[in-house]
Amino acid sequence: MAEKRVAVVGGGLAGLASVMKLTELGVKVDLFSLTPVKRSHSVCAQGGINSCNDQTRQLGDSEWKHFDDTVYGGDFLNHQPPVKEMAMWAPKVIDLMDRLGVPFNRTGEGFIDRRRFGGTLYKRTAFAGATTGQQLLYALDEQVRRQEAEGMVRKYEFWDFLRPILDEQGNCRGIVAQDMVSMEIRSFPADAAVMATGGCGLVYGRSTMSVFCNGSAASRCFQAGAKYANGEFIQVHPTAIPGADKLRLMSESARGEGGRVWVPRKAQDPRAPQEIPDSDRYYFLEERYPEYGNLVPRDIATREIFDICVNEGLSVEDDRMCVYLDLTHIPAAELDRKLGGILEIYEKFQGVDPRVEPMKIFPAVHYSMGGLWADYAKSSDGGLEPGAPENHMTNIPGLYAIGECDYHYHGGNRLGANSLLSCIFTGLFTGPSIVNYIDSQPHDAVSQELLDSARQAEIDRHQHLLTGNEGSEENPYLIHQELGDLMTRVATVVRKNDQLTEALVKVDELHKRAMKVNLSDTGGWTNQNVLFAKALQDMFPLAKCILKGALQRDECRGAHYKPEFQKPPLTAEDPAERRRQAEAWCDEFEANNERYLKSTIATWNADTMQPDLTYEDVDTSSIPPRPRLYGLVGADIIEEVWKERAKAKAEAGQYATT
């Protein structure tokens, strides 16, 4: 039988987990990465990785509750079979990473220590200090290096993915990639290709993502015919420190270990934070959300911080929006043991010791919940069918999407510490599916003509960028700055239809300008100018998906927030009137779900240079949608009304109440 070979693009947790599993199954892998794999963006993940565990089980936790918290936190936009399977696998993933040598923090008894993260009332999050992503990545890297030494892996670091190679039937038969040093462009035949390329933070100019997270790989697949789903759902992390080059994450683990968010009750109080007594401090998350406190889901914490600074004018500083994230009440030794990694980052870039002075933070673009559309096969128990070839396959046969660049797991809002889990889970789970897909296909060799044609198309694009726009004054870096500023202003925390409409027109103009950039460097060796220009051009299809998807979604769901369409709290004091308001609130909620509880599916129209949007129903067969009521005034009566309706529907056989 012909030798099986798979191209895996992306050297982060999802990519390395995929390589590890595929090689374990006897498949040879070509692994491509923009950077050395140990510097992939997964290395920046700080807080931890989620799973139900023996400690939380004693408090009533279960894999089902992890599943429920995930779809509730995601505002029920997550397809439930993949999420259920992930939650059921989670304890096994932690056990595997423990056995691979990840130095998880331990309790005094020697058990893996856990911390709480947002959107849950249980300590589900295993962690390795505040460098969990780095430790997980290094453990997987060791396994991939072992397979590389045995000849199962060919590693292509400093290579840029340019396009999938599609045959006449539309099947993926390999990829085209470019050496970022020599600038050589090559075609690589493969029986299947796996995209594990992360998010698209650079579309916003600055974000907490690494500066090479530009979304270009997903965009190139999108432009080749792959669908892109839920692009409008971009997570803004509530706590980051601004920087001239990027925004640096201050992990949710800081709040999980007891960090408190506050502002002085007096705007721009001139006193040092240590001198402000508790009575003059506004712990607004704790006051507004007493059950969850500082660990409300990220979308809610982000909006509250934004509201405090922008609408209430209580920013700590007059000329820069920020609030305090305070760890000073926690013993320094405890902080160093559990949060040393992020404390060092803050000290390095701010010149302040957060052990003795509260940090100043503000929300920043952090994660792409949307991504390449991918399929799945549902099992009889409501999870995924192991080994089914369609699991995580895009609409292009043979092209798979895993990790942050797919759209399955997080719905409208990602819960903290679920990202590392989803990346490792998808990499491991899809291995047998990919092998079964390969085995189902005819083993004919990829024609040299197909390989050469795809390669030549990219050579032509490369040469045109170097020499085709002589005389143009368009600068790719200035265009990118305009794009980032525009996207940050209109498509982050608060979204308004008039601004989104104007932004789409402006992005069209910028896109046309980007196609005419004139490069200052036309050299043939390690030309970063031309690589950036390609990435810039490929940011625009995703930017348009984000803006157009947001414009057409007239509701508030997870990270997508339009104040004009926010459901109001209950205002009546009279019990009967309050009940009537709750009934009306639930009527509106059901009507809104009927219209908007759907995945946005974009396909690229090369003629109009626009995404065409359609909508797909979300599988909510295991856990029926219910109102997301964190901190809402009147939540108790709304929940009561909703439970009565759910019970009546269950008795009528409309859905289960599990």
Side-chain angles (χ1 to χ4, degrees), residues 369-570:
M369 272 79 71
L372 291 169
W373 180 91
D375 203 356
Y376 61 87
K378 184 177 178 179
S379 64
S380 58
D381 66 355
L384 297 182
E385 189 64 44
E390 57 265 49
N391 288 332
H392 278 270
M393 190 189 292
T394 68
N395 58 296
I396 296 175
L399 181 66
Y400 289 79
I402 61 176
E404 187 178 350
C405 76
D406 85 65
Y407 86 114
H408 271 321
Y409 292 88
H410 309 297
N413 167 64
R414 177 174 68 77
L415 293 188
N418 265 356
S419 59
L420 302 188
L421 174 62
S422 66
C423 287
I424 297 174
F425 164 71
T426 54
L428 297 175
F429 189 81
T430 55
S433 297
I434 295 166
V435 172
N436 289 340
Y437 165 77
I438 295 171
D439 288 343
S440 72
Q441 300 301 301
H443 295 287
D444 54 317
V446 185
S447 74
Q448 192 60 45
E449 181 181 359
L450 181 65
L451 298 174
D452 290 344
S453 174
R455 174 175 174 268
Q456 189 60 50
E458 292 303 325
I459 291 173
D460 292 345
R461 181 189 184 190
H462 184 83
Q463 285 302 124
H464 178 76
L465 274 168
L466 291 178
T467 60
N469 294 320
E470 291 184 11
S472 169
E473 296 183 359
E474 298 294 356
N475 182 319
Y477 298 97
L478 295 179
I479 293 173
H480 177 248
Q481 184 177 9
E482 287 189 59
L483 173 66
D485 290 346
L486 177 65
M487 293 296 292
T488 300
R489 181 169 57 83
V490 307
T492 51
V493 181
V494 175
R495 299 168 175 193
K496 298 178 180 178
N497 282 343
D498 57 345
Q499 294 180 348
L500 292 167
T501 302
E502 292 172 6
L504 275 166
V505 174
K506 181 63 176 176
V507 165
D508 267 341
E509 296 172 3
L510 292 173
H511 193 181
K512 291 171 184 174
R513 288 172 54 194
M515 302 306 291
K516 300 175 183 177
V517 291
N518 187 15
L519 306 184
S520 57
D521 182 356
T522 58
W525 184 266
T526 188
N527 188 331
Q528 300 300 305
N529 213 203
V530 70
L531 295 171
F532 180 81
K534 289 179 189 178
L536 172 68
Q537 292 176 346
D538 293 324
M539 289 179 208
F540 284 96
L542 299 192
K544 292 177 181 180
C545 286
I546 294 168
L547 294 172
K548 193 170 182 180
L551 179 61
Q552 295 189 190
R553 188 178 284 275
D554 282 339
E555 66 161 349
C556 296
R557 188 178 296 277
H560 171 73
Y561 178 65
K562 286 183 175 177
E564 183 182 352
F565 300 96
Q566 184 180 21
K567 289 186 177 62
L570 305 190

Side-chain angles (χ1 to χ4, degrees), residues 2 57 86 132 177 266 277 285 322 343 402 416 453 543 573:
R57 285 187 213 281
M86 178 183 75
T132 311
K266 176 184 176 183
L285 291 178
C322 57
L343 303 184
I402 61 176
S453 174
E573 296 294 334

Side-chain angles (χ1 to χ4, degrees), residues 19-34:
V19 174
M20 184 177 77
K21 188 62 180 179
L22 286 167
T23 53
E24 177 187 306
L25 296 172
V27 178
K28 292 190 173 181
V29 175
D30 291 338
L31 173 60
F32 298 84
S33 178
L34 285 171

Side-chain angles (χ1 to χ4, degrees), residues 82-134:
V83 180
K84 181 181 180 185
E85 195 71 35
M86 178 183 75
M88 298 301 167
W89 267 60
K92 295 183 287 187
V93 170
I94 303 291
D95 287 346
L96 172 63
M97 299 313 298
D98 185 31
R99 295 204 310 275
L100 292 181
V102 173
F104 288 116
N105 277 48
R106 301 279 171 172
T107 65
E109 299 81 10
F111 299 112
I112 294 176
D113 201 0
R114 310 277 175 158
R115 56 167 58 119
R116 257 192 70 204
F117 256 54
T120 176
L121 299 176
Y122 296 100
K123 287 189 173 183
R124 290 200 189 107
T125 306
F127 60 96
T131 61
T132 311
Q134 182 185 57

Side-chain angles (χ1 to χ4, degrees), residues 16 54 64 67 82 188 262 287 317 319 367 399 413 444 476 506 553 585 622 644:
L16 292 181
D54 290 341
W64 183 273
F67 168 34
F188 295 86
W262 62 277
E287 291 189 25
E317 297 182 1
D319 57 349
Y367 192 88
L399 181 66
N413 167 64
D444 54 317
K506 181 63 176 176
R553 188 178 284 275
W585 197 102
S622 292
E644 290 173 5

